Tab-separated table of all heavy atoms in Angstrom:
chain	number	residue	atom	x	y	z
A	29	ALA	N	23.085	31.950	30.362
A	29	ALA	CA	22.959	31.822	28.911
A	29	ALA	C	24.280	31.319	28.356
A	29	ALA	O	25.358	31.756	28.785
A	29	ALA	CB	22.598	33.168	28.285
A	30	THR	N	24.213	30.377	27.400
A	30	THR	CA	25.404	29.844	26.739
A	30	THR	C	25.453	30.401	25.316
A	30	THR	O	24.470	30.313	24.579
A	30	THR	CB	25.373	28.308	26.715
A	30	THR	OG1	25.318	27.822	28.056
A	30	THR	CG2	26.607	27.755	26.029
A	31	LEU	N	26.593	30.965	24.957
A	31	LEU	CA	26.711	31.600	23.640
A	31	LEU	C	28.138	31.460	23.130
A	31	LEU	O	29.036	30.973	23.837
A	31	LEU	CB	26.293	33.080	23.729
A	31	LEU	CG	26.780	33.878	24.965
A	31	LEU	CD1	28.094	34.534	24.703
A	31	LEU	CD2	25.722	34.894	25.357
A	32	GLU	N	28.334	31.884	21.879
A	32	GLU	CA	29.658	31.846	21.286
A	32	GLU	C	30.537	32.935	21.927
A	32	GLU	O	30.049	33.997	22.325
A	32	GLU	CB	29.562	32.075	19.779
A	32	GLU	CG	28.822	30.981	19.029
A	32	GLU	CD	29.509	29.629	19.140
A	32	GLU	OE1	30.760	29.589	19.091
A	32	GLU	OE2	28.794	28.617	19.276
A	33	ARG	N	31.820	32.646	22.007
A	33	ARG	CA	32.705	33.591	22.686
A	33	ARG	C	32.746	34.937	21.978
A	33	ARG	O	32.890	35.975	22.629
A	33	ARG	CB	34.108	32.992	22.797
A	33	ARG	CG	35.063	33.902	23.556
A	33	ARG	CD	36.314	33.219	23.989
A	33	ARG	NE	37.180	34.115	24.739
A	33	ARG	CZ	38.315	33.742	25.345
A	33	ARG	NH1	38.701	32.465	25.269
A	33	ARG	NH2	39.041	34.620	25.999
A	34	GLU	N	32.585	34.956	20.679
A	34	GLU	CA	32.631	36.219	19.941
A	34	GLU	C	31.481	37.141	20.298
A	34	GLU	O	31.532	38.348	20.046
A	34	GLU	CB	32.626	35.946	18.441
A	34	GLU	CG	31.393	35.192	17.968
A	34	GLU	CD	31.492	34.752	16.517
A	34	GLU	OE1	32.629	34.617	16.026
A	34	GLU	OE2	30.433	34.569	15.904
A	35	ASP	N	30.434	36.577	20.911
A	35	ASP	CA	29.284	37.385	21.319
A	35	ASP	C	29.357	37.799	22.792
A	35	ASP	O	28.410	38.403	23.315
A	35	ASP	CB	27.985	36.614	21.091
A	35	ASP	CG	27.772	36.263	19.617
A	35	ASP	OD1	28.167	37.092	18.774
A	35	ASP	OD2	27.240	35.174	19.328
A	36	LEU	N	30.456	37.459	23.487
A	36	LEU	CA	30.547	37.716	24.931
A	36	LEU	C	30.473	39.200	25.253
A	36	LEU	O	29.701	39.626	26.118
A	36	LEU	CB	31.851	37.110	25.484
A	36	LEU	CG	32.168	37.434	26.945
A	36	LEU	CD1	31.076	36.894	27.867
A	36	LEU	CD2	33.524	36.854	27.349
A	37	ILE	N	31.250	40.029	24.594
A	37	ILE	CA	31.304	41.447	24.925
A	37	ILE	C	29.951	42.108	24.689
A	37	ILE	O	29.493	42.930	25.490
A	37	ILE	CB	32.397	42.155	24.105
A	37	ILE	CG1	33.760	41.492	24.374
A	37	ILE	CG2	32.447	43.637	24.453
A	37	ILE	CD1	34.166	41.484	25.815
A	38	ALA	N	29.289	41.736	23.606
A	38	ALA	CA	27.963	42.307	23.326
A	38	ALA	C	26.976	41.939	24.432
A	38	ALA	O	26.131	42.763	24.824
A	38	ALA	CB	27.467	41.813	21.974
A	39	ALA	N	27.078	40.706	24.977
A	39	ALA	CA	26.183	40.298	26.056
A	39	ALA	C	26.495	41.050	27.342
A	39	ALA	O	25.574	41.465	28.077
A	39	ALA	CB	26.301	38.789	26.275
A	40	LEU	N	27.778	41.265	27.625
A	40	LEU	CA	28.152	41.965	28.859
A	40	LEU	C	27.737	43.433	28.813
A	40	LEU	O	27.447	44.037	29.856
A	40	LEU	CB	29.661	41.856	29.098
A	40	LEU	CG	30.202	40.454	29.415
A	40	LEU	CD1	31.719	40.491	29.557
A	40	LEU	CD2	29.564	39.898	30.675
A	41	GLU	N	27.709	44.032	27.617
A	41	GLU	CA	27.323	45.430	27.497
A	41	GLU	C	25.867	45.658	27.890
A	41	GLU	O	25.493	46.767	28.295
A	41	GLU	CB	27.565	45.919	26.064
A	41	GLU	CG	29.047	46.079	25.721
A	41	GLU	CD	29.254	46.489	24.277
A	41	GLU	OE1	28.256	46.452	23.515
A	41	GLU	OE2	30.390	46.849	23.904
A	42	THR	N	25.063	44.632	27.765
A	42	THR	CA	23.648	44.767	28.139
A	42	THR	C	23.417	44.613	29.636
A	42	THR	O	22.307	44.855	30.117
A	42	THR	CB	22.803	43.718	27.397
A	42	THR	OG1	23.212	42.403	27.807
A	42	THR	CG2	22.978	43.853	25.888
A	43	LEU	N	24.449	44.186	30.366
A	43	LEU	CA	24.318	43.942	31.810
A	43	LEU	C	24.952	45.081	32.590
A	43	LEU	O	25.996	45.610	32.195
A	43	LEU	CB	24.997	42.623	32.197
A	43	LEU	CG	24.525	41.371	31.437
A	43	LEU	CD1	25.365	40.168	31.862
A	43	LEU	CD2	23.049	41.106	31.684
A	44	GLN	N	24.353	45.467	33.659
A	44	GLN	CA	24.908	46.484	34.542
A	44	GLN	C	25.698	45.773	35.646
A	44	GLN	O	25.112	45.257	36.603
A	44	GLN	CB	23.797	47.352	35.141
A	44	GLN	CG	23.051	48.178	34.102
A	44	GLN	CD	21.961	49.034	34.733
A	44	GLN	OE1	21.682	48.939	35.913
A	44	GLN	NE2	21.370	49.892	33.912
A	45	ILE	N	26.992	45.725	35.506
A	45	ILE	CA	27.835	44.985	36.453
A	45	ILE	C	28.996	45.857	36.909
A	45	ILE	O	29.431	46.768	36.203
A	45	ILE	CB	28.388	43.689	35.823
A	45	ILE	CG1	29.208	43.996	34.564
A	45	ILE	CG2	27.259	42.722	35.510
A	45	ILE	CD1	29.870	42.788	33.956
A	46	GLN	N	29.476	45.553	38.102
A	46	GLN	CA	30.658	46.209	38.638
A	46	GLN	C	31.791	45.219	38.896
A	46	GLN	O	32.952	45.606	38.939
A	46	GLN	CB	30.320	46.941	39.950
A	46	GLN	CG	29.371	48.117	39.768
A	46	GLN	CD	29.068	48.792	41.082
A	46	GLN	OE1	29.318	48.244	42.153
A	46	GLN	NE2	28.530	50.011	41.005
A	47	ASN	N	31.422	43.931	39.103
A	47	ASN	CA	32.419	42.884	39.353
A	47	ASN	C	32.182	41.738	38.379
A	47	ASN	O	31.049	41.243	38.245
A	47	ASN	CB	32.314	42.364	40.785
A	47	ASN	CG	32.621	43.436	41.812
A	47	ASN	OD1	33.768	43.818	41.992
A	47	ASN	ND2	31.580	43.940	42.467
A	48	LEU	N	33.243	41.295	37.737
A	48	LEU	CA	33.160	40.213	36.753
A	48	LEU	C	34.191	39.142	37.118
A	48	LEU	O	35.373	39.443	37.292
A	48	LEU	CB	33.427	40.744	35.349
A	48	LEU	CG	33.497	39.687	34.233
A	48	LEU	CD1	32.142	38.986	34.062
A	48	LEU	CD2	33.954	40.314	32.929
A	49	LEU	N	33.721	37.901	37.236
A	49	LEU	CA	34.616	36.775	37.487
A	49	LEU	C	34.689	35.920	36.233
A	49	LEU	O	33.654	35.449	35.735
A	49	LEU	CB	34.117	35.926	38.667
A	49	LEU	CG	34.909	34.658	38.967
A	49	LEU	CD1	36.340	35.001	39.383
A	49	LEU	CD2	34.230	33.820	40.040
A	50	VAL	N	35.896	35.717	35.725
A	50	VAL	CA	36.118	34.911	34.530
A	50	VAL	C	36.738	33.588	34.979
A	50	VAL	O	37.796	33.578	35.631
A	50	VAL	CB	37.032	35.632	33.532
A	50	VAL	CG1	37.256	34.767	32.296
A	50	VAL	CG2	36.434	36.971	33.158
A	51	VAL	N	36.118	32.481	34.611
A	51	VAL	CA	36.538	31.155	35.062
A	51	VAL	C	36.944	30.315	33.859
A	51	VAL	O	36.237	30.284	32.842
A	51	VAL	CB	35.402	30.446	35.846
A	51	VAL	CG1	35.847	29.065	36.296
A	51	VAL	CG2	34.974	31.283	37.043
A	52	GLY	N	38.075	29.628	33.980
A	52	GLY	CA	38.488	28.672	32.967
A	52	GLY	C	39.488	29.205	31.978
A	52	GLY	O	40.148	28.431	31.266
A	53	SER	N	39.629	30.521	31.860
A	53	SER	CA	40.565	31.113	30.907
A	53	SER	C	40.725	32.587	31.249
A	53	SER	O	40.170	33.066	32.256
A	53	SER	CB	40.066	30.935	29.467
A	53	SER	OG	41.002	31.469	28.546
């Protein structure tokens, strides 16, 4: 899904994750 950066944290809160890879910044 492509979204605005200000909505990133809200999107991650809905996902059950243990490892996160951030690319580009």
Side-chain angles (χ1 to χ4, degrees):
T30 300
L31 42 91
E32 295 298 321
R33 183 165 181 174
E34 60 188 24
D35 299 325
L36 173 61
I37 302 303
L40 293 177
E41 288 177 350
T42 63
L43 305 176
Q44 295 180 354
I45 58 175
Q46 294 180 344
N47 297 287
L48 175 64
L49 176 63
V50 180
V51 179
S53 182

